[in-house]
Amino acid sequence: MVSSTEYGSHTWDLVLSVDHQYEDVGKEFKVTVTGDLHVGGLMLKLVEKIEKAQDWSDYAFWWEQKKCWLLKTHWTLDKCGVQADAKLIFTTQHKMLRLRLPNMKTVRLKVSFSSTVFRAVSDICKMLNIRRSEELSLLKQSEGTLKKKKKKDKNSKEPATEDILNLCNSPVSSGLPANSGLYSKTMTPIYDPVSGSPASSTITWFSDGSSNEQNCSILALSHPTCSPEMLAEMYQPRTLADKAKLNAGWLDSSRSLMEQGVMEEDQLLLRFKYYTFFDLNPKYDAVRINQIYEQARWAILLEEIDCTEEEMLIFAALQYHVSKLSLSSETQDSTCESEVDEVEAALSNLEVTLEGGSKSNILEDITDIPKLADNLKLVRPKKLALKAIKTYWFVFRDTSISYFKNKESALGEPIEKLNLKGCEVVPDVNVAAKKFGIKLLIPVADGMNEVYLRCDNEDQYARWMAACVLASKGRTMADSSYQDEVQKILSFLQMKNWTMCSQAASEPENVDMKPECFVSPRYTKKFKSKQLIARILEAHQNVSQMSLVEAKLRFIQAWQSLPEFGLSYYVVRFKGSRKDDVLGVSYNRLIRIDMATGDPITTWRFSNMKQWNVNWEIRQVAIEFDQNVSIAFTCLSADCKIIHEYIGGYIFLSTRSKDHNETLDEELFHKLTGGQE
């Protein structure tokens, strides 16, 4: 008989690499192990071999070939599948990362490379004092959006290091767990509601020190210093396919940074991914409101979202006003309690929720659903670019519009009844020209039926437009948000109506303004600088009395009023189709868009969705809706997992409630967005 120890040993050698800073110690160590040794025991053996006394608690094994962390220290090597050829690197879980924020400032901070991106973003937002971290994610710039930059920047140097804010001393950055009670500090107002400047208690989000106070000011205040040269160097999408490139690089929220090829000192973009800004509060959201404002501002300057000339001038006027107040020292110490209530009241207009997640009060909603009845003009597109315009008597009841030859015939059968549930509502307004139009794209069996309504004045337009917007979401005018919607539309029209102001604008020569900082390059080419200054000052008259935070909120509100707001584009190929289409993903619907013309073909609402899944073998997303409607498509401009996560993410965000405080059901998020590859 031969003993097992004599016949052959069960031990084997494993070569481990260690990521350390000691010059007098080697980087590789050979450790003799057995298959039943657990990962924690392997760590202990390795640390004993290194013979250096230090805190190794942040270290873990990274398996190079399989691109995964061995974080379950109680698992054995056999259970993990580790064999002698495995390349294991003993490295820190928290590493330095550069993040470019929506305001184009770059911060450098220590982030967990082993946690899921969802949790890493949560920790980052705690460091930056941004509530509702679930609305944000990390974006890797795709090669398509960097090509233009590289061509133009061949001779230019990297940005100077002083442009980067170092936030590596905060608790989360140091590799310590985030303080779960951090948000309790928000009970103290940290945002001056008049000036918009951060109050001194804001610094408590960072460690003590004047440098952190300065960092916080930079994140909470707007500094519009862009130049035409800077804009020219940045990626500006020209087509829908170009816009699709902007959304190709979203990281998978269910996997870690390291698993997705992100290395130490890499630069990523921190952006608001989901356009549902829940519970915005100027008392606590200094940084959050400013960063949303900045993301909106750059989207408009880079023409990532389309707007009319009239709207561009409103955005320019609001930007000019924000920049003036941000640079003014007079507003820094002023406070006014009455304005707090006004700003908080305006916030209800900014909360965008899915159907079913809207605010409702049974006592406010009335049982007898109101109706609208009025003379409106119906515009029917004809051949040879001619339009037939005719006045009819329109009646809006529930979620449908019926129209009749005249008021007297309204008791009989209508000429046509239009069901607006699930339709697209597009404003067609030019206040200066007294044009108040509503474009309705109503889903039909073979696509979208276009209907144009023309109103006579602002009040009529606001009432009918608000009713159409609610009806498209399956809600009636009995909903408590109807009056809010009407007021929101009227306030936006009022901002456009600057030509009615009797107060004359200042002389352009006497104003220190760089208009090219406030409008997209298209308009700097179209108008001379003096013309732009005069027109921006004209528009500024209607917003000149606003406080800083109110101006930012109005800017966000105007951005939300644009027809394309909240749409993220992807190039897809639908099952059974021979050509590529663009899919627009929004907070409440999916839109199939013709890539050549940009016209919507079909809309599917999340409220009608029964289930969605992914066939990971052929990378195809399949979605099933009510009334036996089902679609399937493959994504060509990005991984199908990104669209799958977008849909699940919006469903997840619709479950939020103010009653739940700041706690998030992370497990539910991963269940809805993770998929099963």
Side-chain angles (χ1 to χ4, degrees), residues 484-532:
D484 288 340
E485 189 71 31
V486 172
Q487 289 306 314
K488 184 174 80 171
I489 294 166
L490 284 172
S491 66
F492 191 37
L493 291 176
Q494 188 182 0
M495 282 196 291
K496 290 185 175 186
N497 196 15
W498 64 78
T499 52
M500 300 298 289
C501 295
S502 57
Q503 181 187 358
S506 308
E507 287 295 319
E509 291 83 2
N510 302 331
V511 178
D512 182 21
M513 184 203 294
K514 294 180 179 176
E516 59 273 11
C517 292
F518 306 121
V519 297
S520 64
R522 190 183 356 160
Y523 292 99
T524 55
K525 293 172 186 173
K526 186 175 179 180
F527 298 105
K528 291 180 180 176
S529 184
K530 284 184 180 179
Q531 288 177 309
L532 271 177

Side-chain angles (χ1 to χ4, degrees), residues 286-339:
V287 179
R288 185 178 171 213
I289 288 173
N290 186 59
Q291 296 298 331
I292 293 173
Y293 161 77
E294 287 286 348
Q295 184 160 326
R297 188 170 79 87
W298 283 103
I300 286 157
L301 289 178
L302 296 172
E303 297 182 17
E304 292 172 10
I305 184 169
D306 292 335
C307 64
T308 64
E309 185 178 305
E310 192 175 46
E311 288 161 345
M312 180 63 79
L313 290 169
I314 290 172
F315 288 124
L318 285 166
Q319 287 177 76
Y320 172 61
H321 189 61
V322 168
S323 68
K324 269 181 68 178
L325 293 182
S326 299
L327 296 171
S328 169
S329 58
E330 295 174 1
T331 61
Q332 297 300 309
D333 302 316
S334 59
T335 56
C336 176
E337 285 299 320
S338 63
E339 291 214 17

Side-chain angles (χ1 to χ4, degrees), residues 371-377 392-404 418 420 423 425-426 436-440 453-472 475 477 482 485-486 489-490 493:
K371 70 173 184 178
L372 288 175
D374 223 334
N375 280 312
L376 300 177
K377 293 182 177 67
Y392 293 97
W393 180 257
F394 281 81
V395 176
F396 201 127
R397 185 180 278 115
D398 291 332
T399 58
S400 300
I401 291 180
S402 303
Y403 62 93
F404 307 84
L418 308 169
L420 302 192
C423 77
V425 184
V426 183
F436 304 101
I438 303 170
K439 180 181 177 183
L440 302 172
L453 304 181
R454 189 74 59 81
C455 301
D456 294 330
N457 52 56
E458 294 181 14
D459 288 334
Q460 188 185 56
Y461 169 79
R463 286 184 284 110
W464 283 82
M465 184 67 178
C468 289
V469 168
L470 288 182
S472 70
R475 307 210 295 266
M477 287 177 283
Y482 174 67
E485 189 71 31
V486 172
I489 294 166
L490 284 172
L493 291 176

